[in-house]
Amino acid sequence: MDSNFRFLPTEEELVHYLRKKKQEVDHIIPEIDISNYEPWDVPGLFTEPDSPYQDMFFFSPRVYKYIDNNYARTNSATARGFWKTTGKERVIKAGGSIGRKRTLIFYEGNKTNWVMDEYSLIEDEANPTPKLAQQRDCVLCCLKKIQDKKDTEEPE
């Protein structure tokens, strides 16, 4: 495989891949359950970990903590920490609203440098009810480690 190849899809393309995944069409993006891994373990799951800090794309099933009266709360915990949503959920548009994007930061006691963008289809298109979502729902994730400022500064 060409080591110069880099997968850099647009947000609209990511939602397209997610839609294709929902239709059970073959895809080039692997699937892992992010709640079973700490973020620093994920680069080792990929076949080309030339740089453990490059963007890593994968599908992940939504794991629900509970479902109550058509409200579903996802589980964001791992064995050593948890993912916390930061900022507002954003709508991705391409001729209309096609998906949503939310950004999560991993906490292991304190905030870490691990950031994950999570892409989902608009709910009414993905699954009409949370009970169906529990059985079939997944998201497309982009995981990356943000370099510490001290790691990127050049020595004097």
Side-chain angles (χ1 to χ4, degrees), residues 19-56:
R19 184 174 289 114
K20 291 293 188 191
K21 168 73 173 162
K22 293 256 184 222
Q23 296 170 357
E24 298 181 23
V25 174
D26 288 321
H27 51 84
I28 60 169
I29 302 170
E31 183 170 337
I32 65 170
D33 185 345
I34 191 63
S35 64
N36 291 336
Y37 297 95
E38 307 309 327
W40 48 87
D41 294 331
V42 174
L45 301 174
F46 291 84
T47 57
E48 296 182 48
D50 293 328
S51 170
Y53 305 111
Q54 68 185 2
D55 296 354
M56 293 161 273

Side-chain angles (χ1 to χ4, degrees), residues 1-153:
M1 182 177 263
D2 184 0
S3 62
N4 293 325
F5 175 77
R6 182 134 188 227
F7 184 67
L8 293 172
T10 65
E11 290 181 341
E12 292 82 8
E13 290 169 330
L14 289 171
V15 172
H16 171 75
Y17 290 130
L18 184 57
R19 184 174 289 114
K20 291 293 188 191
K21 168 73 173 162
K22 293 256 184 222
Q23 296 170 357
E24 298 181 23
V25 174
D26 288 321
H27 51 84
I28 60 169
I29 302 170
E31 183 170 337
I32 65 170
D33 185 345
I34 191 63
S35 64
N36 291 336
Y37 297 95
E38 307 309 327
W40 48 87
D41 294 331
V42 174
L45 301 174
F46 291 84
T47 57
E48 296 182 48
D50 293 328
S51 170
Y53 305 111
Q54 68 185 2
D55 296 354
M56 293 161 273
F57 294 91
F58 54 89
F59 291 107
S60 186
R62 279 193 177 162
V63 178
Y64 290 90
K65 204 173 200 174
Y66 62 83
I67 297 176
D68 184 31
N69 295 331
N70 287 334
Y71 174 75
R73 180 169 177 97
T74 56
N75 180 21
S76 61
T78 68
R80 293 184 49 190
F82 63 94
W83 291 97
K84 182 177 179 182
T85 304
T86 182
K88 294 171 83 174
E89 185 173 83
R90 293 168 300 286
V91 174
I92 300 168
K93 297 181 180 185
S97 298
I98 61 170
R100 299 188 192 293
K101 174 186 174 183
R102 67 180 188 154
T103 300
L104 301 100
I105 296 179
F106 190 75
Y107 284 76
E108 185 186 27
N110 294 319
K111 182 177 172 181
T112 69
N113 291 350
W114 289 96
V115 177
M116 183 169 63
D117 290 326
E118 185 181 87
Y119 297 87
S120 60
L121 295 176
I122 301 294
E123 286 303 317
D124 59 349
E125 179 182 347
N127 293 297
T129 67
K131 290 200 185 285
L132 285 175
Q134 184 177 20
Q135 297 169 353
R136 301 182 300 199
D137 205 13
C138 71
V139 292
L140 198 156
C141 301
C142 175
L143 176 68
K144 56 192 152 233
K145 183 174 182 186
I146 306 301
Q147 293 279 18
D148 282 332
K149 189 169 183 143
K150 64 183 178 188
D151 292 343
T152 59
E153 291 177 355

